[in-house]
Amino acid sequence: MTDIPSTMRRMMSEATSQGTLELRLEEVATPTPKPGQFLVRVEATPINPSDLGLFIGLADYANGTTGGTAELPTLSMPVPDYARGMYATRLDQPLTVGNEGAGIVVAVGSPDHEGMLGKAVAFATGDLYSEYCIVPVPAAIPLPEGATPRDGASSFVNPMTALSMTEVMRREGHKALVHTAAASNLGQMLNKICIADGIPLVNIVRKAEQAEILKEIGAAHVVNSQDEDFFPQLVAAIEETGATLAFDAVGGGSLAGTIITAMEAGLVRKMDEYSRYGSPVKKQVYVYGRLDMSPTTVPASVGMAWGVGGFLLPNFLATISEEDRMKMGGRVIAELKTTFASHYTDEISLTDVLKPEMIAKYDAKATGTKFLVNPTA
């Protein structure tokens, strides 16, 4: 069995009452698994937007101050006055970082689990920006034969979110979807799901090269928000597919309102008689990301049957049965190297994560800028 060091490094994030956000690597005792637990050596964990929100948020890393040592660096970042409210409930509380990832089981808390020693598992328990992590046995998902921790690192957040989008569509009685920032890793997964399941999908991108990425994997409807004729293209695609549900990763600005307006335009064309209230068909946009932190605006041209709300994966999963959650998770593992394969810009170490010049790269929130952290590198 692999020798387990007595200490390990892990990342902590702390918002202080002095108006700074402090990142640091700290050395702590390596935990020992209890019955019903595994100790996993973490070998791959992605930097997701949800992780960025915790350990960077709106802090000014460009003007941060580095310190500590080469092995245990620190980064102190000022938080702008307008952003301090978002940290109010976590002031002076050191928090662990890292939502999901994968690694190798190196110790077990019970002899009856010794068969898992040396096995690769994926999990989403938090605290993954650490060299080792305690994982409850039920939360450890064995990876299929031939799959590495790198393959399984992003097997929860993006895949389960993409599958949840189609589940929400079915449960709410819609028949097609609209998705923004559609060339992302998640967007590519959603396209593969919709193609396989026969679900019409309208993809919104903002660059020609992003449109090409989606067309290469078979996307039928891709519109570029930077095109002069973007709105008529959007209306035509929505009218053809019948989409009345959208998931928006942008969040702020006018895009959500534009989507609802396009849905309304297509529906009104099919009405037999005029109504001052517009179409009675409900049009819904769920905001699941905040690439744009400005307010979401919705114009008066959307009619009176519409909604804009937030969507968070854990909240949705809590509303469905354990059987349905297991079915979704089983599909992810079965299609780990196909439908749910993730692509990374680079693989970096824990110390790299705290470098301001590296933060500028992985915080770009752009297609092709997804980074993978190897805590044991």
Side-chain angles (χ1 to χ4, degrees):
M1 188 174 69
T2 303
D3 290 334
I4 301 170
S6 60
T7 62
M8 68 175 196
R9 295 182 304 160
R10 70 179 180 186
M11 180 181 291
M12 304 298 293
S13 172
E14 182 176 358
T16 73
S17 50
Q18 286 72 47
T20 63
L21 186 61
E22 308 288 333
L23 291 183
R24 62 180 178 271
L25 288 185
E26 63 179 20
E27 186 174 17
V28 297
T30 305
T32 300
K34 299 176 181 178
Q37 296 179 335
F38 296 144
L39 178 67
V40 177
R41 183 178 68 242
V42 183
E43 295 189 357
T45 176
I47 299 178
N48 290 321
S50 54
D51 299 310
L52 287 171
L54 174 62
F55 76 87
I56 298 296
L58 296 176
D60 183 8
Y61 57 81
N63 289 304
T65 302
T66 58
T69 67
E71 285 296 308
L72 299 173
T74 64
L75 177 63
S76 178
M77 301 170 285
V79 176
D81 290 343
Y82 69 86
R84 292 188 182 183
M86 69 180 290
Y87 298 101
T89 58
R90 53 168 288 196
L91 289 179
D92 304 318
Q93 301 176 57
L95 302 176
T96 55
V97 183
N99 287 324
E100 66 174 338
I104 304 297
V105 177
V106 294
V108 296
S110 306
D112 54 340
H113 290 128
E114 287 182 352
M116 286 299 295
L117 288 170
K119 301 293 186 181
V121 295
F123 47 102
T125 55
D127 195 16
L128 270 89
Y129 289 10
S130 304
E131 293 177 325
Y132 293 85
C133 189
I134 290 291
V135 181
V137 170
I141 304 170
L143 298 182
E145 191 70 28
T148 66
R150 183 185 177 97
D151 295 325
S154 297
S155 58
F156 181 75
V157 175
N158 282 348
M160 293 293 278
T161 299
L163 285 171
S164 293
M165 291 175 178
T166 59
E167 283 296 310
V168 170
M169 181 202 74
R170 296 185 184 99
R171 290 165 188 258
E172 295 190 358
H174 304 276
K175 65 178 184 178
L177 293 168
V178 178
H179 185 225
T180 71
S184 63
N185 271 311
L186 188 156
Q188 293 178 51
M189 292 176 188
L190 181 60
N191 270 274
K192 293 173 183 177
I193 293 167
C194 289
I195 291 168
D197 295 358
I199 298 171
L201 174 65
V202 178
N203 298 277
I204 298 176
V205 298
R206 58 188 179 89
K207 294 181 180 179
E209 52 266 38
Q210 295 170 349
E212 288 305 312
I213 291 172
L214 295 178
K215 289 176 181 178
E216 286 177 4
I217 62 176
H221 303 282
V222 186
V223 291
N224 187 337
S225 61
Q226 302 305 303
D227 288 348
E228 290 185 4
D229 60 344
F230 165 61
F231 186 73
Q233 284 189 59
L234 181 61
V235 172
I238 287 176
E239 190 170 9
E240 182 176 343
T241 59
T244 49
L245 175 66
F247 285 87
D248 179 25
V250 177
S254 62
L255 185 56
T258 298
I259 293 169
I260 300 174
T261 301
M263 291 175 176
E264 176 71 0
L267 290 165
V268 167
R269 289 177 184 174
K270 300 176 182 178
M271 292 176 61
D272 295 328
E273 59 183 42
Y274 167 77
S275 169
R276 71 181 72 182
Y277 303 115
S279 168
V281 177
K282 176 68 177 293
K283 303 163 291 293
Q284 178 70 42
V285 174
Y286 286 115
V287 174
Y288 77 97
R290 299 296 295 191
L291 297 177
D292 184 337
M293 297 296 289
S294 66
T296 302
T297 60
V298 179
S301 52
V302 296
M304 294 300 292
W306 58 274
V308 175
F311 178 84
L312 188 64
L313 176 62
N315 291 354
F316 172 72
L317 293 179
T319 68
I320 65 176
S321 68
E322 178 66 20
E323 180 181 0
D324 286 342
R325 290 194 294 270
M326 293 296 291
K327 182 178 178 181
M328 292 166 65
R331 180 172 181 178
V332 173
I333 295 302
E335 302 175 33
L336 191 61
K337 291 191 173 185
T338 54
T339 304
F340 302 107
S342 289
H343 309 284
Y344 302 100
T345 306
D346 200 0
E347 181 175 311
I348 62 177
S349 68
L350 277 177
T351 54
D352 290 333
V353 176
L354 274 68
K355 297 176 180 177
E357 64 273 20
M358 186 61 73
I359 297 175
K361 295 178 181 180
Y362 64 68
D363 191 44
K365 301 183 181 73
T367 300
T369 57
K370 189 172 182 67
F371 282 70
L372 188 70
V373 180
N374 182 349
T376 56

